Amino acid sequence: MLAIGVNSIASITEPMKSDAPHIGFVSLGCPKNLVDSERILSRLRAEGYELSATYQEAELVVVNTCGFIDAAVDESLDAIGEALRENGRVIVTGCLGKDEQRIRDAHPEVLAVTGAHAYEAVMEAVHAQIPAPHDPYTSLLPPTGVKLTPRHYAYLRISEGCNHSCTFCIIPDLRGPLVSRPLGEVMQEAERLVASGVRELLVVSQDTSAYGVDLKYRPDFWQGRPLQTRIRDLAYALGELEAWIRFHYIYPYPHVDDLIPLMAEGHVQPYLDMPLQHANPRILKLMQRPAAAEKVLERIARWRRECPELTLRSTFIVGFPGETEAEFEQLLDFLREARLDRVGCFTYSAVTGAQANQLPDALPAELKEERRARFMEVQAAISRERLQARVGRETIVLVDEVKEKQVIARSSADAPEIDGRVFMPGAWDLEAGDFIEVRITAATAHDLRAEPLAVEAD
Ligand code: SF4
């Protein structure tokens, strides 16, 4: 969570003394919500508002909420309560805003409630309370807007909403059907980010492989060239920028095959984040998920033949209602065969409003936890072996953090926050955002150790 008073907010807002009205901001939830926060913050700064690092200094506070699971709803309601206690003037936005009554029942005194990605509505609510200052100096905005991620990487959201109806998920209810951003608009934002020093763009959406379906792959223009609003053309265009391009939330549909040659050529990062959720056909059907395990295995094998450097990341849910021991074992068999590089595993948890809540035979919490532990044990061994195979190789890494006695970086196989890291002991003359060549010297189950090549010791 990013919140008022936390350094990451204070440092990006560059607080300075001015007469402009000060707005506080609390951002909760996933990277996609973070992108909403960045856009609202950019807009506030563009209009000349100052951002405040404390509740006391702020004239009102915007809370961008998450409503994905019940724990996130509780956290959001708590954050709204804290902002009301500490400041008193609060505007609520984000996923939980869809359920306005629930917010008003808990906190009747909030000034306004808007849904997710309702940038205009948030700005209108702010204007209604505190008119924009109209100062030509404070209205100037750096071309990137205001970013909440470190300076050298940024999330690039290409669409909102989702056309699927996975039974464990309420995102389509919260965020509505798929709405893609035209390719030209996405590319302009990407170019601005790269021009401002971003070295890695993380392409996100609820369903990245469906990009453009709602627009019927409408043709658009970038740098005077005609391109279609579809994932292949977007990957091609993004790959021309001076940055790593990493794709998240891709589903193994046939047209994803088109990305593999671009990855093999190094045009975009050879990395796919592909949430599969399960491997047993009955459970996948109960989840209303599209993929069939055998086809996924075939596709993975083909992708790896075409692009041996490919890193595959996925997430799974164990302990779905009615999941038998045999069905869970089938999932473990899939893991052993697929040998994915990076895997996250969640125990199933009921989300208020999700269809899966109606399913019989909920599993006890201890059994779900036990399965998760067994799942992670199998995957840890696979991950360790795959990382071990990289020891001795030379590769390019992106520096994330330079400490007194250690540099922390990531290879193209590692997305920030969720994957492993590359540790380089020692003091080196490097900065966050540098690309350097290293030799991998050791591996654990999740991380690598390396030594820089052709870099001066500090
Ligand atoms: S694909 Fe499924 S899990 Fe993902 S957002 Fe859409 S409905 Fe939810």
Side-chain angles (χ1 to χ4, degrees):
M1 168 183 142
L2 292 165
I4 285 177
V6 172
N7 281 344
S8 48
I9 279 277
S11 61
I12 56 143
T13 58
E14 300 165 13
M16 59 182 182
K17 290 287 163 220
S18 89
D19 294 328
H22 282 63
I23 309 292
F25 205 99
V26 179
S27 182
L28 301 158
C30 64
K32 283 155 270 190
N33 225 32
L34 195 64
V35 177
D36 280 346
S37 295
E38 289 174 2
R39 292 209 194 156
I40 297 166
L41 289 167
S42 299
R43 197 53 195 271
L44 286 166
R45 290 285 278 137
E47 294 191 8
Y49 293 95
E50 289 292 340
L51 303 177
S52 170
T54 65
Y55 287 118
Q56 289 68 33
E57 196 189 6
E59 288 172 54
L60 71 78
V61 178
V62 178
V63 181
N64 189 8
T65 57
C66 176
F68 184 47
I69 54 172
D70 287 355
V73 171
D74 292 342
E75 191 187 13
S76 293
L77 290 174
D78 287 348
I80 296 166
E82 182 182 288
L84 282 167
R85 268 195 315 282
E86 298 294 325
N87 180 279
R89 302 176 78 192
V90 174
I91 291 169
V92 178
T93 185
C95 286
L96 188 58
K98 176 96 176 174
D99 197 349
E100 180 168 354
Q101 198 51 50
R102 188 162 181 184
I103 295 168
R104 294 213 176 268
D105 286 345
H107 301 297
E109 62 276 50
V110 294
L111 298 172
V113 178
T114 84
H117 48 265
Y119 316 123
E120 293 300 331
V122 173
M123 293 311 298
E124 270 173 33
V126 172
H127 294 155
Q129 299 298 323
I130 306 171
H134 296 301
D135 178 336
Y137 293 102
T138 55
S139 297
L140 291 174
L141 184 73
T144 52
V146 178
K147 291 174 64 274
L148 301 187
T149 48
R151 190 181 164 75
H152 60 284
Y153 67 82
Y155 294 97
L156 181 68
R157 186 155 63 188
I158 60 171
S159 61
E160 315 280 3
C162 178
N163 287 345
H164 291 291
S165 46
C166 304
T167 54
F168 53 82
C169 178
I170 55 168
I171 293 283
D173 295 332
L174 292 176
R175 297 203 162 217
L178 179 79
V179 179
S180 302
R181 298 173 65 199
L183 183 137
E185 181 187 312
V186 173
M187 287 307 302
Q188 277 173 18
E189 181 179 340
E191 277 184 303
R192 281 201 305 275
L193 288 165
V194 173
S196 73
V198 165
R199 313 301 295 275
E200 176 176 12
L201 288 169
L202 305 139
V203 178
V204 294
S205 71
Q206 302 298 346
D207 179 1
T208 298
S209 31
Y211 176 60
V213 168
D214 55 311
L215 298 177
K216 301 197 170 47
Y217 306 120
R218 193 167 77 198
D220 203 359
F221 286 89
W222 177 60
Q223 294 186 342
R225 277 184 286 160
L227 291 164
Q228 287 188 314
T229 297
R230 64 165 71 226
I231 195 68
R232 180 201 60 207
D233 288 25
L234 179 68
Y236 188 79
L238 286 171
E240 296 195 4
L241 304 178
E242 294 284 319
W244 276 2
I245 309 295
R246 193 184 293 285
F247 286 95
H248 289 277
Y249 315 124
I250 291 269
Y251 293 78
Y253 298 138
H255 69 276
V256 174
D257 293 355
D258 295 344
L259 294 179
I260 305 302
L262 293 176
M263 294 182 177
E265 289 163 15
H267 200 65
V268 297
Q269 294 319 107
Y271 179 100
L272 280 178
D273 177 4
M274 185 176 57
L276 293 169
Q277 312 303 7
H278 213 281
N280 171 268
R282 191 186 76 89
I283 298 291
L284 284 169
K285 199 165 171 205
L286 287 176
M287 290 177 164
Q288 288 185 25
R289 298 284 299 177
E294 313 82 63
K295 288 209 175 116
V296 172
L297 285 171
E298 275 170 31
R299 186 157 274 132
I300 289 174
R302 194 166 66 245
W303 289 346
R304 284 186 170 141
R305 279 196 300 277
E306 286 175 36
C307 180
E309 294 296 313
L310 181 65
T311 294
L312 287 169
R313 175 184 176 79
S314 191
T315 45
F316 294 87
I317 296 172
V318 296
F320 196 73
E323 180 189 62
T324 64
E325 174 63 22
E327 288 165 341
F328 173 66
E329 282 289 344
Q330 195 176 349
L331 173 58
L332 295 185
D333 288 344
F334 173 86
L335 267 194
R336 292 185 189 102
E337 196 167 345
R339 297 182 61 74
L340 304 171
D341 299 270
R342 306 289 190 184
V343 171
C345 179
F346 301 93
T347 54
Y348 172 76
S349 86
V351 178
T352 307
Q355 295 174 61
N357 299 353
Q358 313 303 324
L359 293 170
D361 305 323
L363 268 56
E366 313 80 64
L367 181 57
K368 290 193 275 188
E369 277 306 331
E370 186 231 17
R371 286 187 180 167
R372 197 181 90 86
R374 284 164 63 197
F375 179 105
M376 291 313 288
E377 202 180 315
V378 169
Q379 180 56 33
I382 295 167
S383 173
R384 188 184 295 274
E385 277 174 35
R386 290 189 71 79
L387 288 180
Q388 196 62 42
R390 295 174 63 192
V391 173
R393 292 173 60 181
E394 293 176 7
T395 190
I396 303 289
V397 298
L398 175 58
V399 173
D400 273 334
E401 228 182 313
V402 179
K403 299 187 168 187
E404 213 174 306
K405 293 184 179 159
Q406 169 171 259
V407 170
I408 303 171
R410 281 177 295 109
S411 72
S412 71
D414 310 306
E417 313 285 338
I418 51 174
D419 290 332
R421 294 183 292 177
V422 180
F423 293 95
M424 289 173 284
W428 300 94
D429 185 17
L430 290 167
E431 284 181 13
D434 285 347
F435 285 111
I436 56 160
E437 195 171 10
V438 301
R439 181 180 297 112
I440 309 294
T441 55
T444 65
H446 302 290
D447 299 312
L448 294 169
R449 182 183 280 237
E451 58 189 14
L453 301 172
V455 176
E456 297 290 317
D458 214 5

